[in-house]
Amino acid sequence: MKIKILLSLLTSTILVAQTIELEPLVIKSTLIKTDELRSTDAIEIYTSSDIQKAHVQNIYEFLNQQTSVIAMPAYGNPFTQKLDMRGFGIGDGYQNIVVTVDGRRLNNIDMVAPLLSAISPASIERIEIIKSGGIVANGDGANAGVINILTKKDSTREVSVYGGTYGMADGSFYLGHSDDKLSISASGEVQKSDGIRNVDSVGGKDNSKLKTASLNISYIPTKELELRAGASFARIDVIYGGTMKEFEYENDPSQQGTNAYGSSVSSHQKFDTDAVNAGMSYQINSNLSLNVDANHEEKTSNFITYSSIADYKYNSAKTTFEYATDALSISAGLDLLNGERDSHVTSYSVANETTKNNLTDALSISAGLDLLNGERDSHVTSYSVANETTKNNLAGFIMSNFRFGDHSIKAGYRYETVNYKFRDTGNNLENSHSLYGAELGYNYMISRDSSLFLNYAHSYQAPDIDRFFNKDWTGVVSFNGFINPSKADSITIGYSNIIDNNKLKLSAYYISLNDEIYYYADPSYTNSKNTNIDKSHKYGIDVYDKYLLSNTFSVALNYNFVQAIIDKERENGEDFSGKKLPGVSNHNIKATLNYLLTQHTTVALTQTYRSDAYAMDDFSNSFSQKQDAYKSTDISATYKKENYEFFAKINNLFNQKNGLWVSDDAIYPVNYTTTAIAGLKIKF
């Protein structure tokens, strides 16, 4: 009888009329403006509502729980995490994804992953993920795709605070005002954690602190002109532990552990970043517009443990001409980025000056310029030989979209030359490459609710400046030699269907690569180096479905199947041909069930699962230990009434152990215990 009553209640709930309807969202971050149904790319869009409902502590957590992107703390550092998408691997996948915030590129000229912790979730309007696309607009590194983050500029005002286990505490705010002439917004966040894991023998914990804030102003003096400016900063102070052996991980992943690399010392890093921006938009006529934006950013990374300091400076400016009619859209622009890294004296420094300079010159049809200048100055030590390394890039690009009836065709092209020079007392070496990026896409609207698309992209990733140097087991740093840029050809075919109660997206892809960049970790520690995989390929299927069963039940599913295969590669006598790329899980599942318990109360249950994989350094697929499957069940509850809401969330409800395997007995524990937060949000 009880079962019949429950089934009856469930059936009646599902049959309740819909009060929420799904619709195609406009894509705001790409050169050509269109919506999800007419896009020629596989794309995911997540709004501020999606982010706030997830009650995440940072953007990495949202990406890892809700999207097709995989995020893992970089060698234990939770504030700088590695990213992976479409099978490029948790080791180097982040270098194949371009990440932008309001158009400003976050990728670094060295091997430091983009710092997404500096962006408060409260400030985000939406996240747009373009898979296997974006090479024409974003250039170097868009082999897997692009993650574009757009911040809010609306009139909402809110304050949020929460506390949690292990001394977790957070306070954030967003204050906005918008009218016909003036738009101004300010946001900020302060976060701290006392830590979970022991990182030394005297009871020290992996504690962390974060402060970040931003201010943006936009003024419209005339209907044709918009002026804008902004500033932001972040201050990060984090301590994190090293690796541990497998028996230590199985016994207690919160212990200090035995570092596989000969030291049990924790890492203590302080990271500061300050950025300012200014820009304008001018509507020249009804079809032609001009956008100009400039950014300046200064960053300092201070590894206190190792007395290692690096200063970064980035200057960028972007000018875009956009021509649009009902049938034709063309976008071309001017894009400048100057990047510099100054590495100060440490015991492992090599005296050298390394620069990465990109210059995109205008093709006759594009009216575009793209400049990137990067410099690293490393000072003299007893191990060093004075040398100078430079990288110069010259490119041009154009993007267009033509629509006729139910058909849309996108075409874009980018040409780039890359020149490297290395000089020391005994060498004067030069190397150069001519690279091009291309995108060609087609979309057919089957009906007002569904469409098919086909997309081809040729992309590339030029080596970062760290790839030219190696450090042997004695600590001596040497010039590695110039390595080749990687080149990728990808084909994606997909189907989209968006109706009032269901948003379904399916896509299948194949990516063929030449010279995929990786680090060969020699088991004997004598011949490790940065190099290239001669040939490799990846293929997979992406499924996204958001289904509103009723006004009380909804479910969202993200499933990704991927195979990443090394076709041809030999290194130091080892043949990797036919092996799987390490750090790639074949199956990636994220599912969220939302239930409206009462008029004001919502409960959400999220399950994240990734199948096991080969350890990050296991290119031979022969290590005795593999990357364990990743599992986490999270539950949250929200009570929302009028202008306030109470929320609570439990992460890793069943206390699952998770870790990042680098090699045998070299494991970084990740999300390995249950944590919880509870808080209050007020809107006014």
Side-chain angles (χ1 to χ4, degrees):
M1 175 63 72
K2 290 182 179 180
I3 295 176
K4 289 183 178 179
I5 293 174
L6 288 173
L7 289 174
S8 177
L9 289 172
L10 178 61
T11 303
S12 62
T13 300
I14 292 176
L15 293 176
V16 175
Q18 298 288 329
T19 59
I20 301 174
E21 294 184 354
L22 300 175
E23 60 182 2
L25 298 175
V26 174
I27 304 169
K28 296 183 177 182
S29 64
T30 54
L31 288 175
I32 303 299
K33 302 300 184 288
T34 184
D35 62 42
E36 292 176 283
L37 272 178
R38 285 195 173 269
S39 174
T40 63
D41 297 299
I43 189 167
E44 300 173 34
I45 300 178
Y46 301 93
T47 65
S48 60
S49 176
D50 297 324
I51 297 169
Q52 292 191 26
K53 288 178 182 177
H55 300 299
V56 294
Q57 297 172 21
N58 53 53
I59 302 306
Y60 295 119
E61 184 181 341
F62 181 82
L63 292 174
N64 199 49
Q65 291 181 353
Q66 305 287 330
T67 78
S68 63
V69 178
I70 295 171
M72 293 280 274
Y75 304 107
N77 188 342
F79 285 127
T80 305
Q81 299 198 20
K82 289 177 172 287
L83 305 174
D84 182 30
M85 183 167 67
R86 291 208 157 180
F88 281 83
I90 200 62
D92 297 311
Y94 70 97
Q95 293 201 316
N96 292 273
I97 304 171
V98 173
V99 182
T100 71
V101 55
D102 293 332
R104 177 169 61 89
R105 186 182 177 105
L106 297 187
N107 300 71
N108 292 297
I109 61 174
D110 56 9
M111 292 187 70
V112 177
L115 184 69
L116 302 188
S117 302
I119 309 168
S120 171
S123 69
I124 296 178
E125 176 194 350
R126 59 169 54 196
I127 298 173
E128 298 183 351
I129 303 171
I130 297 95
K131 293 181 279 190
S132 294
I135 186 65
V136 171
N138 298 282
D140 186 3
N143 285 336
V146 181
I147 300 174
N148 293 320
I149 301 171
L150 304 177
T151 59
K152 292 193 292 188
K153 298 174 177 63
D154 57 23
S155 294
T156 60
R157 295 181 292 275
E158 64 182 48
V159 175
S160 176
V161 294
Y162 67 77
T165 54
Y166 301 103
M168 171 63 70
D170 185 281
S172 65
F173 71 90
Y174 175 83
L175 305 174
H177 167 80
S178 182
D179 57 36
D180 293 339
K181 291 287 187 180
L182 179 65
S183 175
I184 182 169
S185 63
S187 64
E189 182 176 16
V190 177
Q191 184 183 112
K192 71 96 176 176
S193 170
D194 292 342
I196 304 173
R197 182 184 173 189
N198 293 309
V199 294
D200 56 40
S201 58
V202 294
K205 298 286 188 178
D206 55 344
N207 59 71
S208 60
K209 298 176 183 177
L210 164 71
K211 297 178 182 178
T212 183
S214 65
L215 174 68
N216 291 285
I217 301 174
S218 174
Y219 177 61
I220 304 175
T222 69
K223 64 179 182 179
E224 296 88 6
L225 179 64
E226 177 189 13
L227 304 174
R228 51 185 173 268
S232 63
F233 78 87
R235 302 288 181 266
I236 292 173
D237 188 342
V238 58
I239 296 175
Y240 54 97
T243 62
M244 61 175 54
K245 295 181 178 180
E246 187 174 49
F247 81 89
E248 295 171 329
Y249 169 80
E250 294 294 342
N251 181 54
D252 180 11
S254 67
Q255 65 179 298
Q256 179 184 351
T258 305
N259 194 303
Y261 306 108
S263 173
S264 60
V265 177
S266 61
S267 296
H268 184 189
Q269 183 190 24
K270 290 187 176 182
F271 198 101
D272 298 342
T273 176
D274 298 273
V276 294
N277 65 275
M280 56 86 69
S281 294
Y282 181 68
Q283 192 71 37
I284 300 172
N285 56 42
S286 59
N287 303 119
L288 183 64
S289 62
L290 168 67
N291 299 286
V292 180
D293 288 281
N295 302 276
H296 173 75
E297 182 180 14
E298 295 187 5
K299 298 186 285 188
T300 298
S301 173
N302 182 3
F303 278 97
I304 297 172
T305 308
Y306 312 106
S307 300
S308 175
I309 301 175
D311 294 319
Y312 299 81
K313 290 183 181 179
Y314 291 92
N315 293 295
S316 63
K318 186 172 185 178
T319 301
T320 305
F321 289 93
E322 297 180 357
Y323 175 81
T325 66
D326 292 338
L328 177 66
S329 298
I330 300 176
S331 184
L334 176 70
D335 194 357
L336 302 96
L337 173 61
N338 301 327
E340 176 183 318
R341 185 181 78 178
D342 181 10
S343 299
H344 301 274
V345 177
T346 72
S347 59
Y348 295 126
S349 295
V350 176
N352 63 74
E353 182 179 6
T354 308
T355 64
K356 176 180 181 182
N357 303 312
N358 303 60
L359 175 61
T360 304
D361 198 4
L363 297 176
S364 59
I365 55 176
S366 73
L369 181 66
D370 190 356
L371 173 65
L372 166 61
N373 296 327
E375 177 180 323
R376 178 184 70 182
D377 181 14
S378 299
H379 302 275
V380 178
T381 74
S382 59
Y383 297 124
S384 68
V385 177
N387 64 76
E388 179 180 275
T389 309
T390 64
K391 178 181 178 183
N392 303 303
N393 296 59
L394 175 65
F397 63 90
I398 185 171
M399 178 63 76
S400 63
N401 188 79
F402 180 54
R403 179 187 297 183
F404 51 101
D406 294 326
H407 308 269
S408 298
I409 296 176
K410 178 191 74 172
Y413 182 79
R414 179 185 183 101
Y415 178 78
E416 190 161 357
T417 59
V418 184
N419 298 282
Y420 293 100
K421 294 182 180 180
F422 175 81
R423 293 185 179 91
D424 63 13
T425 56
N427 297 284
N428 188 355
L429 306 175
E430 294 187 13
N431 196 13
S432 64
H433 304 279
S434 294
L435 304 171
Y436 72 91
E439 294 182 58
L440 181 63
Y442 170 73
N443 179 289
Y444 173 64
M445 292 291 297
I446 302 172
S447 66
R448 63 181 297 270
D449 300 320
S450 59
S451 64
L452 289 169
F453 69 86
L454 177 66
N455 185 66
Y456 164 78
H458 176 83
S459 57
Y460 52 86
Q461 176 209 345
D464 66 82
I465 62 177
D466 281 337
R467 295 291 184 176
F468 303 138
F469 301 96
N470 287 316
K471 183 173 69 177
D472 67 18
W473 66 276
T474 66
V476 175
V477 182
S478 60
F479 178 62
N480 174 67
F482 295 110
I483 65 175
N484 296 326
S486 68
K487 301 174 184 178
D489 291 283
S490 64
I491 297 176
T492 304
I493 184 170
Y495 169 78
S496 301
N497 179 264
I498 302 176
I499 57 178
D500 291 346
N501 68 336
N502 191 39
K503 179 178 288 190
L504 173 65
K505 297 181 181 182
L506 307 172
S507 64
Y509 62 90
Y510 180 89
I511 306 173
S512 175
L513 293 105
N514 291 317
D515 294 321
E516 187 171 2
I517 299 171
Y518 79 109
Y519 179 74
Y520 169 69
D522 180 17
S524 67
Y525 303 103
T526 58
N527 294 301
S528 300
K529 65 178 181 178
N530 291 291
T531 185
N532 301 97
I533 298 173
D534 292 338
K535 291 184 179 296
S536 57
H537 73 276
K538 313 175 194 299
Y539 62 90
I541 297 172
D542 293 339
V543 179
Y544 174 82
D545 190 33
K546 185 174 184 179
Y547 185 30
L548 307 180
L549 288 84
S550 70
N551 65 333
T552 55
F553 280 102
S554 69
V555 62
L557 171 69
N558 225 317
Y559 169 70
N560 316 107
F561 168 77
V562 62
Q563 292 285 297
I565 309 297
I566 300 171
D567 298 317
K568 180 183 178 183
E569 172 63 4
R570 292 183 65 89
E571 190 61 50
N572 196 33
E574 296 186 81
D575 189 356
F576 300 145
S577 302
K579 305 298 184 181
K580 290 189 175 183
L581 188 72
V584 177
S585 298
N586 294 340
H587 304 279
N588 179 29
I589 304 171
K590 289 98 178 267
T592 299
L593 174 66
N594 288 285
Y595 174 53
L596 186 62
L597 187 62
T598 69
Q599 180 183 359
H600 304 292
T601 306
T602 303
V603 178
L605 183 68
T606 299
Q607 178 65 50
T608 303
Y609 171 83
R610 288 195 298 274
S611 59
D612 62 5
Y614 292 103
M616 274 174 39
D617 288 347
D618 189 10
F619 284 85
S620 63
N621 298 174
S622 62
F623 291 0
S624 62
Q625 299 173 15
K626 295 182 69 174
Q627 170 81 49
D628 274 358
Y630 181 97
K631 303 173 185 177
S632 183
T633 304
D634 312 311
I635 187 170
S636 65
T638 304
Y639 178 83
K640 186 176 182 179
K641 187 175 183 180
E642 296 176 348
N643 295 328
Y644 64 90
E645 68 177 64
F646 296 96
F647 60 89
K649 183 178 182 181
I650 301 175
N651 284 329
N652 199 355
L653 180 64
F654 299 112
N655 208 38
Q656 300 277 0
K657 292 187 179 73
N658 296 294
L660 175 65
W661 264 255
V662 179
S663 60
D664 289 343
D665 284 332
I667 306 164
Y668 291 94
V670 174
N671 190 24
Y672 50 85
T673 191
T674 302
T675 60
I677 61 172
L680 168 67
K681 179 183 293 183
I682 302 174
K683 295 186 176 182
F684 52 93

